[in-house]
Amino acid sequence: MKTFLACLLVLSVSVTASNASCYVLPLNPVKRGDEIIGSYDMKGEPHEFNSQWKTEDCLECSCSKFGISCCTTYARPVNFDEEKCVSIFNNTACAYEVVEKADHSKTCEVHEWVG
């Protein structure tokens, strides 16, 4: 258990340092008889070990014997003209678009993306 907590600490520090958008849910066992076969996610949905899926809110998740880990599938724009432009998240494409505030049909130049 101490090793697992140490790994979680290292992961949380590295996630913060890299600006990644990820999280880990500790194992919430799904059982078949006495055997643990997976973990429940935040919505209470069961997932088997070694499974992977994409959520409706654009996260890629996987289930392991340590729990469930999820990361965003998109980058966030951080270096653009915020006075002239606005970033809009497109849920269907799981991506940000940066467009002019006055005319959303015109895209803006983005100099840096994070995530």
Side-chain angles (χ1 to χ4, degrees):
M1 185 64 168
K2 288 182 182 180
T3 303
F4 174 69
L5 291 176
C7 289
L8 239 115
L9 177 64
V10 169
L11 177 64
S12 66
V13 170
S14 65
V15 165
T16 302
S18 68
N19 288 324
S21 298
C22 299
Y23 65 86
V24 177
L25 297 173
L27 181 66
N28 184 0
V30 173
K31 293 185 177 183
R32 182 181 300 137
D34 290 336
E35 182 185 9
I36 297 174
I37 61 165
S39 186
Y40 289 100
D41 65 17
M42 287 178 23
K43 295 181 179 181
E45 297 289 326
H47 298 277
E48 291 187 11
F49 292 140
N50 301 316
S51 63
Q52 298 177 340
W53 65 97
K54 188 173 179 181
T55 68
E56 60 199 26
D57 52 347
C58 302
L59 296 172
E60 286 185 353
C61 300
S62 62
C63 181
S64 73
K65 293 183 180 187
F66 298 106
I68 292 177
S69 61
C70 297
C71 294
T72 56
T73 60
Y74 53 86
R76 190 171 37 88
V78 293
N79 188 358
F80 60 93
D81 184 349
E82 293 187 43
E83 288 184 26
K84 180 181 172 186
C85 304
V86 63
S87 67
I88 300 172
F89 189 72
N90 179 327
N91 281 18
T92 305
C94 291
Y96 278 96
E97 300 171 29
V98 181
V99 295
E100 290 185 8
K101 290 179 182 179
D103 183 354
H104 286 196
S105 68
K106 296 181 181 177
T107 60
C108 295
E109 186 176 2
V110 178
H111 303 286
E112 188 176 358
W113 297 81
V114 176

